[in-house]
Amino acid sequence: MRVVLTWRDKVEHCIYDLAFKPDGTQLILAAGNRLLVYDTSDGSLLQPLKGHKDTVYCVAYAKDGKRFASGSADKNVIIWTSKLEGILKYTHNDSIQCVSYNPVTHQLASGSSSDFALWSPEQKSISKHKSSSKITCCSWTNDGQYLALGMFNGIISIRNKNGDEKVKIERPGGSLSPVWSICWNPSRCSYREEHNDILAVADWGQKLSFYQLSGKQIGKDRSLNFNACCISYFTKGEYILLGGSDKQVSLFTKDGVRLGTVGEQNSWVWTCRAKPDSNYVAVGCQDGTISFYQLIFSTVHGLYKNRYAYRDSMTDVIVQHLITEQKVRIKCKELVKKIAICKNRLAIQLPEKILIYELYSDDSSDMHYRVKEKMVKKFECNLLVVCADHIVLCQEKRLQCLSFSGVKEREWQMESLIRYIKVIGGPPGREGLLVGLKNGQILKIFVDNPFAIVLLKQATAVRCLDMSASRKKLAVVDENDTCLVYDIHTKELLFQEPNANSVAWNTQCEDMLCFSGGGYLNIKASTFPVHQQKLQGFVVGYNGSKIFCLHAFAMSAVEVPQSTPMYQYLDRKMFKEAYQIACLGVTDTDWRELAMEALEGLEFETAKKAFTRVQDLRYLELINSIEERKKRGETNNDLFLADVFSYQGKFHEAAKLYKKSGHENLALDMYTDLRMFEYAKDFLGSGDPKETRMLITKQADWARNINEPKNAVEMYISAGEYVKAIEISGDHGWVDTLIDIARKLDRAEREPLLMCARYFKKLDNPGYAAETYLKIGDLKSLVQLHVETQHWDEAFALGEKHPEFKEDIYMPYAQWLAENDRFEESQKAFHKAGRQKEAVRVLEQLTDNAVEESRFNDAAYYYWMLSMQCLDIAQDAAQKDAMLSKFHYFQHLAEMYHGYHTIHRYTEEPFSSHRPETLFNISRFLLHNLSKDTPVGISKVITLFTLAKQSKALGAYKLARDAYEKLRGLRIPARFQKSIELGSITIRAKPFHDNEELVPLCYRCSTNNPLLNNLGNVCINCRQPFVFSASSYEVLHLVEFYLEKGITDEEAVSLIDLEVPRHKRENRCQEITSNNSQTLRLDETVGCMGDDPFTAKLSFEQGGSEFVPVVVSRSVLRSMSRRDVLIKRWPPPLRWQYFRSLLPEASITMCPSCFQMFHSEDYELLVLQHTRCPYCRRPIDGPSL
């Protein structure tokens, strides 16, 4: 610390107090009964202020700079403006001892011998409070909440803003130690990081003490050895000024450690204060002297590589790691005079000793120091250096080497003053020192060698020194601010640069150094020109890309990209040297530029390292491929360079080199891969058409990839790549383009045309797909198309022309019909497709469903269809017997369900359109057929119940009674229970006989049969089966006859068709024949049956209990009239059935499809109602199966 007197003045009266204007421009002094206003810049008296009538003891300025106040022995307080005008005055009962402004509210506190007052600009009245002792001093806390009052009896009273006492501190000395000066630390920073408000107290017991706001003392009292008259803090609170009876101003730390003397005076110092926000101090004395000093705090520090140690708060040492930014504080509690650091050692010189510290570990990032040695002795030196086992003291021309125990081991006497000393490394105990003298001599000294080695001598004094990493070069900054670089071995001056105040070699690169001066940082590589950038401060170290700079008492590590020197090496194609510079620290852009330059210079090793740094795998792969090719024997550098240019985007240069090296194809591939098709065409010129097509194809591929499908299609077509053009057009739904392509293609190009057809199908354009299939003759695909699009008419037409596709058509058609619930049509389609099993399976399922759902009419129809299917399958000799058996069974079931449909509707529906006779006949027909097994769905109860009701209604009471009797043995549903019980009772009131008109007659033997026949539906006499009407179920006047052996169906029909004259039968009947029916109608009934050979057969051939069929010969057939015969023309393998009408006058109609017989009137009525056969549902005008 150095103290410089800035100005001094002297007045006639004692200066009891002074105050600075907050901006520091003016100084207010309390001198005698006047206030003196000084200009702090030059010490000139601006204006004396008169207002008091007696000695002014105190003065204070408000923190906002608008007002200041003064207190005097005349018991008055005067408030002044910043314009030096008095604006207010108030009085106390005794002389005023102290005044202080609240730093926040600007409330003024004034203390006298007996009381203290509080005045605020916002209040008109003044609040006064009594005091038990003379108030000597006062001070507000930083937040303006509390006021501390120091008293003559040694007590400190801490009051709030209203004047109420909150804390009372009683000092040990009591009235023998009057508190003469107190002050709160203005920084609000914590003391030992614990408290916010710290009160410094100085008394005439010659003690300095510190207290918390709570009144608790911090630490112990510090002995001063003089009576302190004034105490004040620097603006930031880091230092304390104390003055008093020792006639000097002393500087203390905020912890109370004395640092030194600010200025010695000739009389007591009554007041001293620091200028706001500066290192200037004003001192007022008993003899009227006012002194204004500047305090210059010198930098005490040390640097070794990336560790920087410096003094902080005069008593602490902070060691900073410049790379990691870690810091560690070492509290010495004494004034730190010198610091030295080297490797793991740290030396700190205090006033009476030197402390040697060492690191806990060898870790380069370790920041924990511990005391190794204490050299308790007072040393005087200009410079201090520490080594592993020694310290070196420099004093003027002399160097002394001491061990850590304080023993002097070696001493060197120089010819001139030592200006610079630095440790340059070496093993422990043998370190080397670089020493620069004022006479220009530069020496190297080893601590274990008593002889100094002269490196060189120059004409000018040395200011700064540094040696390169390899110890080959020496950089010197002289007193003329010139940086000179020497070769140590040859003593040759390599170069020199002006405007330098410090210099440092790069520790990682031999040829790089930096020096500072004139506000610039200068970086020089080898012999290249200097690169400059603005930087304030002194360069003290250069490690890699970091430059350590000391500026304004702070050390900083500046990251400096080494771009400029790297480019300087690149300009001279010195790639390896450029790489070494880049390793010190350059940007990614610089690394990439280095990599590119090295690659173009075919310096692959350097390029590989540089690309690795920027993690560019693409160029690394290129380098590896080139190196592999070189290993295989390739030596064409033009080809290598062409590859490099192509990777860099210099395509035209690459193409020229490819052509030069005889690899035009590589240039062509490069252009096409880059989609530079126009350049490729220019490069190709009028060459091979095949290559031109290849170019167009690649161009189309590119257009496709960049989502320009229209252009791609056009280019594919021009290049003849129809498949790709079709694929793009189809994917985008461009039907018109597909049509043009399909019509343009030759029919021999089958694959593209098939692709077109597939896309036509996909895009719902079956017409164009059909056109395409026809063009290539693919009929199977055409059939499949019609089937998939469900264009059945076109499919059927194609099937008619090409029967081999019949199954391919009808099978899907049948499945489609089934999926759309058109099962009957589906069954027929299966049949047409030749899939008999599927047809039968569909019919069986339909039949089961109809029975399950009580749709017995449908069940009858499906069973009839099933029987016809079985008859169709029976044409296969292997399945004949089984299928014929099924045919008869299904025919039987069809008849049963057909009849039961009417009975079921009668019992389920409230009304019936059928006559009682029809219901009566159907019930009898069913019961005669239910003698064995009862088909599923047919209820014997319902049949008997219907028969009982209709028998009663028609007068067949006996039959009704039998029916009710049989019902008693069956399980009756609840809904019929009451009706049956009632019927069973009421029938007993009826006669026990049947109406004879209801008794059926056998038309063969003319026998009356019982209403319930145990034999079934055959005559009890001749066993001739009855033929029933399929609508009314009456017994028809038909008798079945058979042909003699040897007579074929065709012959029989031809014999019957012969018109033989018949006597007495003219105009007897009329035959009506059509596709829909065969009808015999009687026009006039005349004649005798005695001449009929067939009638004779009926009577003479009858006999016995076994059924004897009617067998006719050729003569009998010739005697028959076609009008009297009905023929069931069954398909093979069945024989036809022949029936002769015995009552030709009664017309009978037979359906040519199902061969069921009807009374003609009933059949015509049913056809009118349903427009189809009531049994097989054959439409009137439709073809028969």
Side-chain angles (χ1 to χ4, degrees), residues 139-142 183-189 191 196-200 210 233-240 254:
S139 178
W140 287 96
T141 57
N142 294 298
C183 186
W184 292 99
N185 190 322
S187 69
R188 288 185 58 83
C189 62
Y191 181 87
N196 287 329
D197 293 293
I198 304 300
L199 181 67
F210 297 94
Y233 278 94
F234 273 54
T235 306
K236 295 180 180 179
E238 68 270 42
Y239 302 117
I240 297 174
K254 64 181 180 180

PDB file of all heavy atoms in Angstrom, residues 139-142 183-189 191 196-200 210 233-240 254:
ATOM      1  N   SER A 139     -25.107   6.700  14.741  1.00  0.00           N
ATOM      2  CA  SER A 139     -24.974   6.122  13.393  1.00  0.00           C
ATOM      3  C   SER A 139     -26.207   5.270  13.083  1.00  0.00           C
ATOM      4  O   SER A 139     -26.692   4.526  13.950  1.00  0.00           O
ATOM      5  CB  SER A 139     -23.708   5.256  13.296  1.00  0.00           C
ATOM      6  OG  SER A 139     -23.609   4.658  12.017  1.00  0.00           O
ATOM      7  N   TRP A 140     -26.739   5.400  11.856  1.00  0.00           N
ATOM      8  CA  TRP A 140     -27.909   4.623  11.395  1.00  0.00           C
ATOM      9  C   TRP A 140     -27.443   3.316  10.722  1.00  0.00           C
ATOM     10  O   TRP A 140     -26.400   3.257  10.097  1.00  0.00           O
ATOM     11  CB  TRP A 140     -28.717   5.411  10.356  1.00  0.00           C
ATOM     12  CG  TRP A 140     -29.510   6.553  10.907  1.00  0.00           C
ATOM     13  CD1 TRP A 140     -29.139   7.856  10.948  1.00  0.00           C
ATOM     14  CD2 TRP A 140     -30.828   6.493  11.451  1.00  0.00           C
ATOM     15  NE1 TRP A 140     -30.111   8.641  11.498  1.00  0.00           N
ATOM     16  CE2 TRP A 140     -31.186   7.823  11.816  1.00  0.00           C
ATOM     17  CE3 TRP A 140     -31.733   5.477  11.704  1.00  0.00           C
ATOM     18  CZ2 TRP A 140     -32.408   8.143  12.405  1.00  0.00           C
ATOM     19  CZ3 TRP A 140     -32.962   5.791  12.278  1.00  0.00           C
ATOM     20  CH2 TRP A 140     -33.293   7.099  12.624  1.00  0.00           C
ATOM     21  N   THR A 141     -28.295   2.303  10.884  1.00  0.00           N
ATOM     22  CA  THR A 141     -28.041   1.057  10.128  1.00  0.00           C
ATOM     23  C   THR A 141     -28.321   1.294   8.646  1.00  0.00           C
ATOM     24  O   THR A 141     -28.945   2.292   8.256  1.00  0.00           O
ATOM     25  CB  THR A 141     -28.948  -0.090  10.629  1.00  0.00           C
ATOM     26  OG1 THR A 141     -30.317   0.306  10.523  1.00  0.00           O
ATOM     27  CG2 THR A 141     -28.606  -0.456  12.059  1.00  0.00           C
ATOM     28  N   ASN A 142     -27.855   0.387   7.836  1.00  0.00           N
ATOM     29  CA  ASN A 142     -27.985   0.571   6.379  1.00  0.00           C
ATOM     30  C   ASN A 142     -29.434   0.599   5.905  1.00  0.00           C
ATOM     31  O   ASN A 142     -29.756   1.273   4.921  1.00  0.00           O
ATOM     32  CB  ASN A 142     -27.262  -0.569   5.652  1.00  0.00           C
ATOM     33  CG  ASN A 142     -25.777  -0.510   5.878  1.00  0.00           C
ATOM     34  OD1 ASN A 142     -25.134   0.447   5.508  1.00  0.00           O
ATOM     35  ND2 ASN A 142     -25.236  -1.532   6.524  1.00  0.00           N
ATOM     36  N   CYS A 183     -19.756   3.356  14.206  1.00  0.00           N
ATOM     37  CA  CYS A 183     -20.141   3.395  12.785  1.00  0.00           C
ATOM     38  C   CYS A 183     -20.613   1.993  12.363  1.00  0.00           C
ATOM     39  O   CYS A 183     -19.970   0.982  12.681  1.00  0.00           O
ATOM     40  CB  CYS A 183     -18.950   3.836  11.930  1.00  0.00           C
ATOM     41  SG  CYS A 183     -19.398   4.073  10.181  1.00  0.00           S
ATOM     42  N   TRP A 184     -21.752   1.948  11.674  1.00  0.00           N
ATOM     43  CA  TRP A 184     -22.240   0.677  11.103  1.00  0.00           C
ATOM     44  C   TRP A 184     -21.519   0.409   9.784  1.00  0.00           C
ATOM     45  O   TRP A 184     -21.278   1.319   9.007  1.00  0.00           O
ATOM     46  CB  TRP A 184     -23.752   0.726  10.826  1.00  0.00           C
ATOM     47  CG  TRP A 184     -24.607   0.793  12.059  1.00  0.00           C
ATOM     48  CD1 TRP A 184     -25.163   1.903  12.604  1.00  0.00           C
ATOM     49  CD2 TRP A 184     -25.017  -0.307  12.867  1.00  0.00           C
ATOM     50  NE1 TRP A 184     -25.902   1.594  13.733  1.00  0.00           N
ATOM     51  CE2 TRP A 184     -25.833   0.219  13.909  1.00  0.00           C
ATOM     52  CE3 TRP A 184     -24.778  -1.678  12.850  1.00  0.00           C
ATOM     53  CZ2 TRP A 184     -26.402  -0.575  14.897  1.00  0.00           C
ATOM     54  CZ3 TRP A 184     -25.359  -2.465  13.828  1.00  0.00           C
ATOM     55  CH2 TRP A 184     -26.159  -1.925  14.844  1.00  0.00           C
ATOM     56  N   ASN A 185     -21.193  -0.848   9.541  1.00  0.00           N
ATOM     57  CA  ASN A 185     -20.575  -1.218   8.262  1.00  0.00           C
ATOM     58  C   ASN A 185     -21.582  -0.957   7.138  1.00  0.00           C
ATOM     59  O   ASN A 185     -22.686  -1.503   7.139  1.00  0.00           O
ATOM     60  CB  ASN A 185     -20.184  -2.705   8.280  1.00  0.00           C
ATOM     61  CG  ASN A 185     -19.333  -3.095   7.080  1.00  0.00           C
ATOM     62  OD1 ASN A 185     -19.545  -2.640   5.986  1.00  0.00           O
ATOM     63  ND2 ASN A 185     -18.362  -3.972   7.319  1.00  0.00           N
ATOM     64  N   PRO A 186     -21.215  -0.118   6.149  1.00  0.00           N
ATOM     65  CA  PRO A 186     -22.199   0.275   5.117  1.00  0.00           C
ATOM     66  C   PRO A 186     -22.456  -0.785   4.046  1.00  0.00           C
ATOM     67  O   PRO A 186     -23.378  -0.648   3.255  1.00  0.00           O
ATOM     68  CB  PRO A 186     -21.541   1.513   4.485  1.00  0.00           C
ATOM     69  CG  PRO A 186     -20.085   1.273   4.638  1.00  0.00           C
ATOM     70  CD  PRO A 186     -19.917   0.546   5.950  1.00  0.00           C
ATOM     71  N   SER A 187     -21.646  -1.844   4.001  1.00  0.00           N
ATOM     72  CA  SER A 187     -21.773  -2.785   2.879  1.00  0.00           C
ATOM     73  C   SER A 187     -22.892  -3.798   3.073  1.00  0.00           C
ATOM     74  O   SER A 187     -23.275  -4.485   2.129  1.00  0.00           O
ATOM     75  CB  SER A 187     -20.449  -3.540   2.692  1.00  0.00           C
ATOM     76  OG  SER A 187     -20.240  -4.423   3.771  1.00  0.00           O
ATOM     77  N   ARG A 188     -23.395  -3.952   4.276  1.00  0.00           N
ATOM     78  CA  ARG A 188     -24.405  -4.955   4.625  1.00  0.00           C
ATOM     79  C   ARG A 188     -23.918  -6.372   4.325  1.00  0.00           C
ATOM     80  O   ARG A 188     -24.681  -7.336   4.301  1.00  0.00           O
ATOM     81  CB  ARG A 188     -25.734  -4.725   3.867  1.00  0.00           C
ATOM     82  CG  ARG A 188     -26.496  -3.518   4.366  1.00  0.00           C
ATOM     83  CD  ARG A 188     -27.833  -3.408   3.680  1.00  0.00           C
ATOM     84  NE  ARG A 188     -28.649  -4.607   3.891  1.00  0.00           N
ATOM     85  CZ  ARG A 188     -29.394  -4.818   4.979  1.00  0.00           C
ATOM     86  NH1 ARG A 188     -29.394  -3.925   5.960  1.00  0.00           N
ATOM     87  NH2 ARG A 188     -30.101  -5.911   5.086  1.00  0.00           N
ATOM     88  N   CYS A 189     -22.612  -6.511   4.053  1.00  0.00           N
ATOM     89  CA  CYS A 189     -22.078  -7.851   3.840  1.00  0.00           C
ATOM     90  C   CYS A 189     -21.841  -8.487   5.199  1.00  0.00           C
ATOM     91  O   CYS A 189     -21.576  -7.816   6.179  1.00  0.00           O
ATOM     92  CB  CYS A 189     -20.794  -7.818   3.030  1.00  0.00           C
ATOM     93  SG  CYS A 189     -19.462  -6.931   3.805  1.00  0.00           S
ATOM     94  N   TYR A 191     -20.386 -10.483   8.353  1.00  0.00           N
ATOM     95  CA  TYR A 191     -19.108 -10.679   9.017  1.00  0.00           C
ATOM     96  C   TYR A 191     -18.961 -12.169   9.258  1.00  0.00           C
ATOM     97  O   TYR A 191     -19.761 -12.781   9.945  1.00  0.00           O
ATOM     98  CB  TYR A 191     -19.098  -9.915  10.356  1.00  0.00           C
ATOM     99  CG  TYR A 191     -17.803 -10.047  11.101  1.00  0.00           C
ATOM    100  CD1 TYR A 191     -16.757  -9.178  10.856  1.00  0.00           C
ATOM    101  CD2 TYR A 191     -17.631 -11.048  12.052  1.00  0.00           C
ATOM    102  CE1 TYR A 191     -15.570  -9.291  11.539  1.00  0.00           C
ATOM    103  CE2 TYR A 191     -16.444 -11.173  12.740  1.00  0.00           C
ATOM    104  CZ  TYR A 191     -15.416 -10.287  12.488  1.00  0.00           C
ATOM    105  OH  TYR A 191     -14.238 -10.399  13.174  1.00  0.00           O
ATOM    106  N   ASN A 196     -25.708  -9.411   9.173  1.00  0.00           N
ATOM    107  CA  ASN A 196     -25.889  -8.343   8.198  1.00  0.00           C
ATOM    108  C   ASN A 196     -25.387  -7.000   8.697  1.00  0.00           C
ATOM    109  O   ASN A 196     -24.693  -6.297   7.977  1.00  0.00           O
ATOM    110  CB  ASN A 196     -27.370  -8.227   7.816  1.00  0.00           C
ATOM    111  CG  ASN A 196     -27.811  -9.371   6.926  1.00  0.00           C
ATOM    112  OD1 ASN A 196     -27.007  -9.880   6.171  1.00  0.00           O
ATOM    113  ND2 ASN A 196     -29.072  -9.767   7.048  1.00  0.00           N
ATOM    114  N   ASP A 197     -25.737  -6.612   9.901  1.00  0.00           N
ATOM    115  CA  ASP A 197     -25.389  -5.279  10.422  1.00  0.00           C
ATOM    116  C   ASP A 197     -24.318  -5.423  11.503  1.00  0.00           C
ATOM    117  O   ASP A 197     -24.543  -6.058  12.541  1.00  0.00           O
ATOM    118  CB  ASP A 197     -26.625  -4.597  11.005  1.00  0.00           C
ATOM    119  CG  ASP A 197     -27.637  -4.283   9.907  1.00  0.00           C
ATOM    120  OD1 ASP A 197     -27.326  -3.437   9.055  1.00  0.00           O
ATOM    121  OD2 ASP A 197     -28.722  -4.909   9.910  1.00  0.00           O
ATOM    122  N   ILE A 198     -23.149  -4.797  11.242  1.00  0.00           N
ATOM    123  CA  ILE A 198     -22.026  -4.865  12.175  1.00  0.00           C
ATOM    124  C   ILE A 198     -21.708  -3.426  12.636  1.00  0.00           C
ATOM    125  O   ILE A 198     -21.517  -2.528  11.807  1.00  0.00           O
ATOM    126  CB  ILE A 198     -20.779  -5.480  11.503  1.00  0.00           C
ATOM    127  CG1 ILE A 198     -21.116  -6.867  10.921  1.00  0.00           C
ATOM    128  CG2 ILE A 198     -19.638  -5.573  12.512  1.00  0.00           C
ATOM    129  CD1 ILE A 198     -21.579  -7.871  11.935  1.00  0.00           C
ATOM    130  N   LEU A 199     -21.630  -3.261  13.944  1.00  0.00           N
ATOM    131  CA  LEU A 199     -21.334  -1.949  14.517  1.00  0.00           C
ATOM    132  C   LEU A 199     -19.897  -1.939  15.032  1.00  0.00           C
ATOM    133  O   LEU A 199     -19.516  -2.765  15.875  1.00  0.00           O
ATOM    134  CB  LEU A 199     -22.300  -1.641  15.671  1.00  0.00           C
ATOM    135  CG  LEU A 199     -22.113  -0.290  16.358  1.00  0.00           C
ATOM    136  CD1 LEU A 199     -22.458   0.851  15.394  1.00  0.00           C
ATOM    137  CD2 LEU A 199     -22.992  -0.217  17.621  1.00  0.00           C
ATOM    138  N   ALA A 200     -19.094  -1.003  14.478  1.00  0.00           N
ATOM    139  CA  ALA A 200     -17.721  -0.822  14.948  1.00  0.00           C
ATOM    140  C   ALA A 200     -17.721   0.269  16.025  1.00  0.00           C
ATOM    141  O   ALA A 200     -18.305   1.340  15.834  1.00  0.00           O
ATOM    142  CB  ALA A 200     -16.812  -0.434  13.780  1.00  0.00           C
ATOM    143  N   PHE A 210     -16.501  -4.883  17.950  1.00  0.00           N
ATOM    144  CA  PHE A 210     -17.544  -5.068  16.926  1.00  0.00           C
ATOM    145  C   PHE A 210     -18.735  -5.766  17.566  1.00  0.00           C
ATOM    146  O   PHE A 210     -18.576  -6.695  18.375  1.00  0.00           O
ATOM    147  CB  PHE A 210     -17.013  -5.916  15.754  1.00  0.00           C
ATOM    148  CG  PHE A 210     -15.880  -5.277  15.006  1.00  0.00           C
ATOM    149  CD1 PHE A 210     -14.560  -5.560  15.329  1.00  0.00           C
ATOM    150  CD2 PHE A 210     -16.122  -4.370  13.982  1.00  0.00           C
ATOM    151  CE1 PHE A 210     -13.516  -4.974  14.645  1.00  0.00           C
ATOM    152  CE2 PHE A 210     -15.074  -3.776  13.294  1.00  0.00           C
ATOM    153  CZ  PHE A 210     -13.760  -4.077  13.620  1.00  0.00           C
ATOM    154  N   TYR A 233     -15.925   3.837   7.889  1.00  0.00           N
ATOM    155  CA  TYR A 233     -15.723   2.762   6.905  1.00  0.00           C
ATOM    156  C   TYR A 233     -15.514   3.344   5.520  1.00  0.00           C
ATOM    157  O   TYR A 233     -15.996   4.453   5.199  1.00  0.00           O
ATOM    158  CB  TYR A 233     -16.942   1.848   6.839  1.00  0.00           C
ATOM    159  CG  TYR A 233     -17.001   0.783   7.910  1.00  0.00           C
ATOM    160  CD1 TYR A 233     -17.693   1.003   9.101  1.00  0.00           C
ATOM    161  CD2 TYR A 233     -16.386  -0.446   7.724  1.00  0.00           C
ATOM    162  CE1 TYR A 233     -17.762   0.024  10.082  1.00  0.00           C
ATOM    163  CE2 TYR A 233     -16.459  -1.431   8.698  1.00  0.00           C
ATOM    164  CZ  TYR A 233     -17.148  -1.203   9.863  1.00  0.00           C
ATOM    165  OH  TYR A 233     -17.215  -2.178  10.818  1.00  0.00           O
ATOM    166  N   PHE A 234     -14.808   2.582   4.670  1.00  0.00           N
ATOM    167  CA  PHE A 234     -14.822   2.877   3.243  1.00  0.00           C
ATOM    168  C   PHE A 234     -16.236   2.562   2.702  1.00  0.00           C
ATOM    169  O   PHE A 234     -17.025   1.867   3.343  1.00  0.00           O
ATOM    170  CB  PHE A 234     -13.782   2.018   2.510  1.00  0.00           C
ATOM    171  CG  PHE A 234     -12.407   2.639   2.476  1.00  0.00           C
ATOM    172  CD1 PHE A 234     -11.775   3.046   3.650  1.00  0.00           C
ATOM    173  CD2 PHE A 234     -11.760   2.840   1.266  1.00  0.00           C
ATOM    174  CE1 PHE A 234     -10.529   3.620   3.617  1.00  0.00           C
ATOM    175  CE2 PHE A 234     -10.509   3.419   1.233  1.00  0.00           C
ATOM    176  CZ  PHE A 234      -9.882   3.811   2.401  1.00  0.00           C
ATOM    177  N   THR A 235     -16.536   3.061   1.553  1.00  0.00           N
ATOM    178  CA  THR A 235     -17.901   2.944   1.011  1.00  0.00           C
ATOM    179  C   THR A 235     -18.375   1.506   0.959  1.00  0.00           C
ATOM    180  O   THR A 235     -19.520   1.189   1.286  1.00  0.00           O
ATOM    181  CB  THR A 235     -17.966   3.559  -0.394  1.00  0.00           C
ATOM    182  OG1 THR A 235     -17.475   4.899  -0.337  1.00  0.00           O
ATOM    183  CG2 THR A 235     -19.392   3.558  -0.909  1.00  0.00           C
ATOM    184  N   LYS A 236     -17.499   0.590   0.545  1.00  0.00           N
ATOM    185  CA  LYS A 236     -17.890  -0.823   0.410  1.00  0.00           C
ATOM    186  C   LYS A 236     -17.699  -1.608   1.699  1.00  0.00           C
ATOM    187  O   LYS A 236     -17.965  -2.808   1.726  1.00  0.00           O
ATOM    188  CB  LYS A 236     -17.092  -1.471  -0.718  1.00  0.00           C
ATOM    189  CG  LYS A 236     -17.406  -0.881  -2.089  1.00  0.00           C
ATOM    190  CD  LYS A 236     -16.591  -1.563  -3.174  1.00  0.00           C
ATOM    191  CE  LYS A 236     -16.904  -0.971  -4.544  1.00  0.00           C
ATOM    192  NZ  LYS A 236     -16.103  -1.614  -5.617  1.00  0.00           N
ATOM    193  N   GLY A 237     -17.207  -0.955   2.710  1.00  0.00           N
ATOM    194  CA  GLY A 237     -17.093  -1.602   3.998  1.00  0.00           C
ATOM    195  C   GLY A 237     -15.906  -2.517   4.151  1.00  0.00           C
ATOM    196  O   GLY A 237     -15.816  -3.252   5.131  1.00  0.00           O
ATOM    197  N   GLU A 238     -14.928  -2.490   3.206  1.00  0.00           N
ATOM    198  CA  GLU A 238     -13.822  -3.444   3.309  1.00  0.00           C
ATOM    199  C   GLU A 238     -12.713  -2.952   4.239  1.00  0.00           C
ATOM    200  O   GLU A 238     -11.924  -3.773   4.739  1.00  0.00           O
ATOM    201  CB  GLU A 238     -13.266  -3.769   1.927  1.00  0.00           C
ATOM    202  CG  GLU A 238     -12.544  -2.615   1.220  1.00  0.00           C
ATOM    203  CD  GLU A 238     -13.459  -1.746   0.368  1.00  0.00           C
ATOM    204  OE1 GLU A 238     -14.573  -1.458   0.842  1.00  0.00           O
ATOM    205  OE2 GLU A 238     -13.065  -1.349  -0.736  1.00  0.00           O
ATOM    206  N   TYR A 239     -12.637  -1.639   4.443  1.00  0.00           N
ATOM    207  CA  TYR A 239     -11.598  -1.075   5.309  1.00  0.00           C
ATOM    208  C   TYR A 239     -12.210  -0.114   6.308  1.00  0.00           C
ATOM    209  O   TYR A 239     -13.287   0.451   6.094  1.00  0.00           O
ATOM    210  CB  TYR A 239     -10.539  -0.331   4.475  1.00  0.00           C
ATOM    211  CG  TYR A 239      -9.868  -1.189   3.435  1.00  0.00           C
ATOM    212  CD1 TYR A 239     -10.008  -0.896   2.083  1.00  0.00           C
ATOM    213  CD2 TYR A 239      -9.083  -2.279   3.803  1.00  0.00           C
ATOM    214  CE1 TYR A 239      -9.392  -1.680   1.111  1.00  0.00           C
ATOM    215  CE2 TYR A 239      -8.469  -3.062   2.856  1.00  0.00           C
ATOM    216  CZ  TYR A 239      -8.621  -2.763   1.510  1.00  0.00           C
ATOM    217  OH  TYR A 239      -8.027  -3.547   0.566  1.00  0.00           O
ATOM    218  N   ILE A 240     -11.435   0.073   7.434  1.00  0.00           N
ATOM    219  CA  ILE A 240     -11.840   1.009   8.492  1.00  0.00           C
ATOM    220  C   ILE A 240     -10.711   2.026   8.674  1.00  0.00           C
ATOM    221  O   ILE A 240      -9.524   1.668   8.685  1.00  0.00           O
ATOM    222  CB  ILE A 240     -12.092   0.274   9.823  1.00  0.00           C
ATOM    223  CG1 ILE A 240     -13.254  -0.709   9.669  1.00  0.00           C
ATOM    224  CG2 ILE A 240     -12.376   1.253  10.958  1.00  0.00           C
ATOM    225  CD1 ILE A 240     -13.472  -1.569  10.912  1.00  0.00           C
ATOM    226  N   LYS A 254     -11.858  -4.742   7.785  1.00  0.00           N
ATOM    227  CA  LYS A 254     -13.195  -4.728   8.403  1.00  0.00           C
ATOM    228  C   LYS A 254     -13.245  -5.645   9.624  1.00  0.00           C
ATOM    229  O   LYS A 254     -14.153  -5.530  10.456  1.00  0.00           O
ATOM    230  CB  LYS A 254     -14.256  -5.146   7.398  1.00  0.00           C
ATOM    231  CG  LYS A 254     -14.091  -6.585   6.909  1.00  0.00           C
ATOM    232  CD  LYS A 254     -15.139  -6.942   5.895  1.00  0.00           C
ATOM    233  CE  LYS A 254     -14.958  -8.384   5.403  1.00  0.00           C
ATOM    234  NZ  LYS A 254     -15.990  -8.731   4.417  1.00  0.00           N
TER     235      LYS A 254
END
